[in-house]
Amino acid sequence: MIETAFTPYASLGGGILIGLASVALMAVAGRIMGATGILAGLFQPSSFSDWSWRAVVVAGMIAGPLVVMLFTGEMPAVQVPVSTTMLIIGGFIVGVGVTFGGGCTSGHGVCGMARISPRSIVATITFMIATIITVYVVRHIFGV
């Protein structure tokens, strides 16, 4: 069975950084920090300025582990305890969910909840219920 490490300080730090980045993007560009929408817009930009802010945000997401390495001296450990096939299936399911849900956890869960958007509140509750069910099924029924 997969064990999940309890990392309160790293989790708190990550949450603070996500919150600050969301507020900064809204203050500077007037945009919502929805990661899937930002990434999708890189491939279908409406203008160069639209593409450029998206590219900066994605570059920042990619550079995150390098910043951690500067402070700690080592790259963050990433463990993927499932097969490539499971990752592809999971990615497909997430993609379908993002499409039908009109956004992802960062857009709805961070920005939408902060704006007290009823649609985002329902979407976030749905994400959480689906996550709880998925973890239960994968860990207790499939024994992964």
Side-chain angles (χ1 to χ4, degrees):
M1 186 175 302
I2 301 169
E3 288 191 31
T4 305
F6 181 60
T7 58
Y9 299 117
S11 300
L12 177 63
I16 289 169
L17 289 173
I18 289 170
L20 289 173
S22 297
V23 169
L25 185 61
M26 180 62 78
V28 171
R31 304 301 300 228
I32 292 189
M33 180 95 164
T36 54
I38 292 169
L39 187 60
L42 270 178
F43 299 103
Q44 297 176 338
S46 60
S47 65
F48 178 75
S49 64
D50 181 59
W51 181 87
S52 61
W53 75 263
R54 292 172 190 274
V56 168
V57 171
V58 171
M61 290 178 185
I62 293 168
L66 299 174
V67 173
V68 170
M69 187 175 76
L70 286 173
F71 284 102
T72 65
E74 57 187 49
M75 285 294 280
V78 176
Q79 297 175 0
V80 182
V82 297
S83 68
T84 302
T85 303
M86 290 289 282
L87 285 174
I88 292 169
I89 291 169
F92 177 76
I93 292 169
V94 168
V96 169
V98 164
T99 302
F100 285 123
C104 62
T105 53
S106 56
H108 284 301
V110 176
C111 298
M113 294 280 287
R115 294 180 331 197
I116 312 173
S117 163
R119 189 181 106 171
S120 291
I121 292 169
V122 169
T124 304
I125 291 169
T126 304
F127 297 153
M128 296 308 295
I129 290 170
T131 301
I132 291 166
I133 292 168
T134 301
V135 168
Y136 181 83
V137 168
V138 169
R139 289 190 177 183
H140 298 286
I141 295 177
F142 292 116
V144 175

